[in-house]
Amino acid sequence: MSERQATPHLYLIDGSGYIFRAYHALPPMTRADGTPVNAVFGFSNMLFKLLKDLEEEERPTHLAVIFDYSRITFRQDLYEDYKAQRPEAPEDLVPQFPLIRQASEAFGVPAIEVEGYEADDIIATYVRQAVERGWRVTIVSSDKDLMQLVGGPVRMLDPIKNRIIGPKEVEERFGVPPEKVGDVLALMGDASDNVPGVPGIGPKTAAELIRTYGDLESVLAHAEEIRQPKRRENLIGYADQARLSKKLVTLHDDVPLDDWPLDSLAIRDIDADRVLTFLDENEFRSLRARVMSHLERARPADDRRRSAIEVASSHYETVDDEAGLESWVARIRAAGFVAIDTETSSLDAMRAELVGISLSTVPGEACYIPLAHRAISSGKGGELALDGEGEVGPQLPLDKVRAALGPLLTDPAILKIGQNIKFDMKVLMRAGFPEMAPIDDTMLVSYVLETGLHGHGLDELSRLHLGITPVAYKDVAGRGKKQKAFAEVSLEQATAYAAEDADLTLRLHRLLRPRLVDEGLDTLYETVERPLVPVIVAMERTGVRVRRDELNRLSAEFAEEMARLEAEIHELAGHPFNIASPRQLGEVLFGEMGLKGGRKLKSGAWSTNAEVLEKLAEEGHELPALVLEWRQLQKLKGTYTDALAEAINPETGRVHTSYSLAATSTGRLASSDPNLQNIPVRTALGRRIRRAFVADDGMKLM
């Protein structure tokens, strides 16, 4: 064991930050008895995620969640208006506070609060005690006040951005090292806590003063030397207010913690019975399922689902003859359902060629039907074998597979189950198969159950619910320049990869589908999400007609106008340069022309984003104004006129966007490849692009 691993590591979670983030992130939720629980649910989710992540990365030795006892602390004795501007907690959040503390304890994490002190003071006290004992400390928070504690063995973990905050990050934010943050806050004040500070002193000025004079008292002692009259006057007139502000922002590290000494924070394993009881009491069924999966603990009530995740081994076969195909058709008819997945030559379903089909009717058992695998050249005049025997291996003709499976796809007595089944439907229909019905989609089932809590792709759902990491595409097809088409993958590897997809889809369906009824979401799925799939399939297959000649004409016009602007820009600069290069543009504007208002990025280059250029243009500078025009034309040409012309399907002459049904937390559709939801409309140039979209003869575009 390394010295670093042997050193105790204390994690302190800022509970207040978790609570308010959870409350504002989730819509109202209530238990059957009417108790509001959206913040409790969100807090529990975030805490469980952190505990899982810590197990995978670096398991701490000690852990606690720190809460504010109340809004009234010793700071109100110092300054009556401290935090006075903050509204009372929302009415539906108040009854959730004790439940949130119960949630922390249920997950085996001490919930600590001390009357008269803020959570920040408790954290500061534990930090001091831990550092004195040579421990490492991680504070899970993004609170700026806690950044005073960073340094040495102490760091912060921003749970929102999932990034570590060390001395470098603190200095980048405040312009001073962590130990000087309190001095900066005392000068600039803090509107969120109603800390008054010194009027007219902002963060940049405060940092500059502290860097120049060293600390708050030194700044006040040298106030007479300040050149700016108003700044000097305020520093002298509000000196006592600055000193009061310093007392308000200074963290107290002497909170009495006799009831919770450091050693009592030793990390504990989750007590399965305790946490599951808490989740049942609060009716958090989806979280219960994830906790169950994580603990690998089966429950008696789930016998009907257990086979979905408890499969000792998997058996996958390659179907390459008619007997094997007939056997699988019989299995599907006997089962009354089948999980189905397709392998293709492309992710564009309207251009993709069907390479193979995988099927599953029993968890752990699946097949792969190769249709269009081929040998690949070795580069030396020969061919690289796909089956290890010198040949590609036998494959069934597409027409025979179509004849065998086609009736199953339309049979109303057989449920077809897919993961993002919309894609498979389009691929199969393009290959001459009939439209599937009835269908179920595990992606949409997951989306209805747990909309914004995680992604809904097969890999993520398999890891989350089944504890299985699927075979990665790169492991069978390679990556980068060496990546081959799936049609060039050996049949053995293709079967292992493709059959697993059908198998996992079936297992997820068995696990997730019954929860729709349990959680009262079956109606939403059955009346909104599932019936929408064939509608979207029809929309995507139909596409929209776009006039290529109009797009080409606009592209040429944009290119001509960009060339004219480029010439003007180069003339103003005095020499040619790459306008598309932010670095070269920054050197011209702020290095050569000496324009004011520039700021450098971490890379050392000048920032030339739209905000910077717009400000310069408003000040009357011609070159940045022309660059803004040039950039607008570049975006219109590259993102719209050129890209839309490229997106026209050569077979249909139309653009076929893809509408994602499970991409947004609000439930709306999201368009991609290409995105047809963001064609500009407010500018004249944008409206000209929209005119390229037309209806067929005799039709109108609404």
Side-chain angles (χ1 to χ4, degrees):
M1 181 181 291
S2 69
E3 182 180 346
R4 181 174 178 82
Q5 290 172 320
T7 303
H9 191 166
L10 169 65
Y11 266 70
L12 297 167
I13 301 170
D14 177 11
S16 298
Y18 266 30
I19 290 173
F20 286 97
R21 181 181 165 208
Y23 176 77
H24 291 293
L26 293 173
M29 296 169 54
T30 56
R31 300 188 315 205
D33 63 2
T35 303
V37 289
N38 63 324
V40 186
F41 180 66
F43 177 90
S44 302
N45 264 305
M46 289 188 285
L47 182 59
F48 178 54
K49 181 181 184 303
L50 177 68
L51 294 174
K52 283 202 307 175
D53 290 346
L54 290 178
E55 284 191 8
E56 294 171 4
E57 296 167 10
E58 179 185 14
R59 185 174 170 88
T61 57
H62 296 73
L63 174 68
V65 181
I66 314 300
F67 294 101
D68 291 320
Y69 181 85
S70 70
R71 294 179 58 177
I72 305 302
T73 68
F74 68 90
R75 288 180 175 84
Q76 273 78 10
D77 296 333
L78 295 172
Y79 182 55
E80 188 177 353
D81 289 334
Y82 178 71
K83 293 189 177 181
Q85 89 292 1
R86 290 194 180 183
E88 293 293 330
E91 187 177 342
D92 61 337
L93 178 57
V94 173
Q96 300 189 62
F97 287 136
L99 292 176
I100 287 169
R101 287 158 175 75
Q102 289 178 28
S104 181
E105 294 286 357
F107 279 99
V109 184
I112 299 171
E113 58 191 3
V114 178
E115 186 173 4
Y117 293 92
E118 293 185 48
D120 291 0
D121 300 309
I122 301 172
I123 290 172
T125 303
Y126 276 129
V127 167
R128 176 185 59 77
Q129 293 178 0
V131 171
E132 287 174 354
R133 293 171 63 169
W135 293 14
R136 291 183 291 138
V137 183
T138 296
I139 304 167
V140 183
S141 176
S142 57
D143 187 342
K144 63 182 181 301
D145 294 326
L146 291 169
M147 292 182 185
Q148 302 174 65
L149 302 173
V150 170
V154 183
R155 64 179 189 171
M156 290 176 67
L157 171 62
D158 184 339
I160 299 173
K161 299 178 180 177
N162 193 29
R163 71 180 185 113
I164 296 297
I165 300 172
K168 177 185 173 186
E169 288 75 18
V170 174
E171 190 153 357
E172 286 173 356
R173 174 167 180 177
F174 285 99
V176 297
E179 63 271 17
K180 301 292 183 183
V181 167
D183 295 300
V184 169
L185 291 173
L187 283 170
M188 62 181 273
D190 184 356
S192 64
D193 288 342
N194 215 29
V195 175
V198 176
I201 303 290
K204 289 186 178 178
T205 302
E208 180 186 340
L209 289 169
I210 297 302
R211 286 197 302 268
T212 302
Y213 296 103
D215 57 32
L216 175 65
E217 284 302 329
S218 297
V219 170
L220 298 177
H222 291 84
E224 295 282 0
E225 303 171 8
I226 304 297
R227 293 181 181 179
Q228 296 85 346
K230 188 63 177 176
R231 187 180 301 174
R232 180 175 63 246
E233 179 185 326
N234 285 348
L235 284 170
I236 294 170
Y238 291 93
D240 288 341
Q241 187 165 290
R243 292 187 179 97
L244 170 64
S245 298
K246 179 66 184 291
K247 291 180 181 178
L248 293 175
V249 300
T250 297
L251 302 181
H252 284 238
D253 61 3
D254 56 356
V255 178
L257 295 170
D258 297 337
D259 292 339
W260 286 101
L262 266 182
D263 291 327
S264 70
L265 309 185
I267 196 162
R268 309 174 234 165
D269 289 330
I270 296 176
D271 183 324
D273 290 334
R274 185 174 185 183
V275 72
L276 294 177
T277 298
F278 172 81
L279 297 174
D280 284 339
E281 288 173 349
N282 289 281
E283 301 164 17
F284 297 156
R285 297 182 185 90
S286 60
L287 179 56
R288 187 189 201 279
R290 294 202 303 280
V291 172
M292 285 271 296
S293 175
H294 178 69
L295 297 174
E296 296 181 347
R297 178 189 174 90
R299 51 177 170 154
D302 277 348
D303 284 347
R304 70 183 187 279
R305 306 180 200 172
R306 196 176 299 161
S307 62
I309 56 176
E310 294 183 0
V311 178
S313 61
S314 299
H315 173 69
Y316 302 149
E317 64 176 294
T318 307
V319 173
D320 53 16
D321 58 30
E322 291 188 46
L325 181 61
E326 290 172 4
S327 172
W328 270 92
V329 168
R331 288 194 210 186
I332 294 168
R333 290 203 178 280
F337 58 84
V338 61
I340 186 166
D341 187 58
T342 57
E343 299 302 333
T344 64
S345 61
S346 167
L347 294 177
D348 182 348
M350 290 301 297
R351 303 191 192 200
E353 299 298 328
L354 179 61
V355 176
I357 301 171
S358 50
L359 309 167
S360 177
T361 58
V362 176
E365 296 181 14
C367 75
Y368 178 60
I369 308 170
L371 296 168
H373 283 261
R374 60 180 184 271
I376 55 176
S377 172
S378 64
K380 298 178 181 178
E383 293 213 325
L384 183 65
L386 291 181
D387 64 354
E389 301 295 334
E391 296 180 0
V392 175
Q395 299 178 83
L396 285 163
L398 176 60
D399 59 347
K400 287 191 179 297
V401 175
R402 197 161 44 212
L405 297 183
L408 300 179
L409 299 185
T410 57
D411 191 334
I414 297 173
L415 178 66
K416 277 66 67 173
I417 304 161
Q419 166 72 19
N420 188 21
I421 200 167
K422 170 171 69 74
F423 177 86
D424 303 298
M425 291 171 70
K426 289 197 296 178
V427 168
L428 289 170
M429 291 167 76
R430 186 170 183 274
F433 289 81
E435 181 176 350
M436 285 191 268
I439 58 163
D440 253 350
D441 190 331
T442 49
M443 180 184 74
L444 291 182
V445 171
S446 173
Y447 180 65
V448 170
L449 289 169
E450 299 167 350
T451 303
L453 297 178
H454 52 74
H456 304 281
L458 181 63
D459 287 6
E460 185 167 354
L461 294 181
S462 298
R463 286 191 295 266
L464 182 65
H465 296 294
L466 306 176
I468 296 172
T469 299
V471 176
Y473 185 81
K474 66 177 184 294
D475 292 338
V476 296
R479 67 174 82 195
K481 293 181 179 178
K482 294 185 177 180
Q483 187 177 84
K484 53 193 173 186
F486 195 79
E488 296 167 343
V489 172
S490 73
L491 298 188
E492 182 180 354
Q493 287 182 304
T495 298
Y497 173 83
E500 183 186 59
D501 283 354
D503 176 22
L504 295 178
T505 298
L506 181 65
R507 298 196 209 191
L508 286 169
H509 185 262
R510 288 197 169 193
L511 187 68
L512 299 178
R513 189 62 169 85
R515 283 177 47 198
L516 290 173
V517 176
D518 293 348
E519 299 179 28
L521 294 168
D522 198 42
T523 300
L524 172 62
Y525 176 75
E526 291 290 355
T527 60
V528 177
E529 298 294 347
R530 185 158 77 153
L532 194 58
V533 174
V535 176
I536 299 298
V537 167
M539 288 170 58
E540 292 180 355
R541 280 170 53 81
T542 301
V544 61
R545 187 176 160 200
V546 183
R547 290 180 54 192
R548 187 190 294 273
D549 58 341
E550 180 68 11
L551 293 174
N552 290 341
R553 188 172 63 79
L554 285 171
S555 280
E557 284 185 27
F558 293 160
E560 185 178 337
E561 181 63 11
M562 286 171 66
R564 185 189 66 77
L565 290 169
E566 189 171 328
E568 284 191 47
I569 291 167
H570 289 166
E571 184 177 350
L572 289 170
H575 62 85
F577 68 97
N578 183 1
I579 302 170
S581 166
R583 183 180 289 274
Q584 292 186 35
L585 176 60
E587 286 301 323
V588 168
L589 293 173
F590 305 111
E592 299 173 14
M593 300 178 68
L595 301 185
K596 302 300 181 185
R599 64 179 180 85
K600 286 199 170 183
L601 305 169
K602 293 180 186 178
S603 63
W606 294 97
S607 172
T608 58
N609 61 22
E611 183 182 355
V612 171
L613 296 184
E614 286 167 1
K615 185 177 179 182
L616 292 173
E618 288 170 1
E619 293 171 358
H621 298 294
E622 188 177 359
L623 192 150
L626 293 175
V627 171
L628 285 169
E629 286 186 54
W630 185 89
R631 282 185 178 177
Q632 183 192 26
L633 290 169
Q634 182 195 41
K635 179 172 182 179
L636 291 174
K637 184 176 185 299
T639 306
Y640 300 113
T641 55
D642 290 352
L644 285 171
E646 181 66 24
I648 296 174
N649 188 299
E651 294 179 14
T652 66
R654 301 166 79 86
V655 170
H656 302 268
T657 188
S658 175
Y659 291 105
S660 176
L661 293 99
T664 70
S665 58
T666 59
R668 67 172 177 81
L669 297 175
S671 168
S672 62
D673 303 318
N675 186 347
L676 298 185
Q677 292 177 326
N678 67 347
I679 309 295
V681 68
R682 294 178 182 174
T683 64
L685 290 175
R687 289 192 289 273
R688 289 180 66 190
I689 293 172
R690 284 179 170 246
R691 283 202 291 270
F693 290 83
V694 294
D696 281 336
D697 295 338
M699 308 289 285
K700 284 191 176 182
L701 192 62
M702 303 295 288

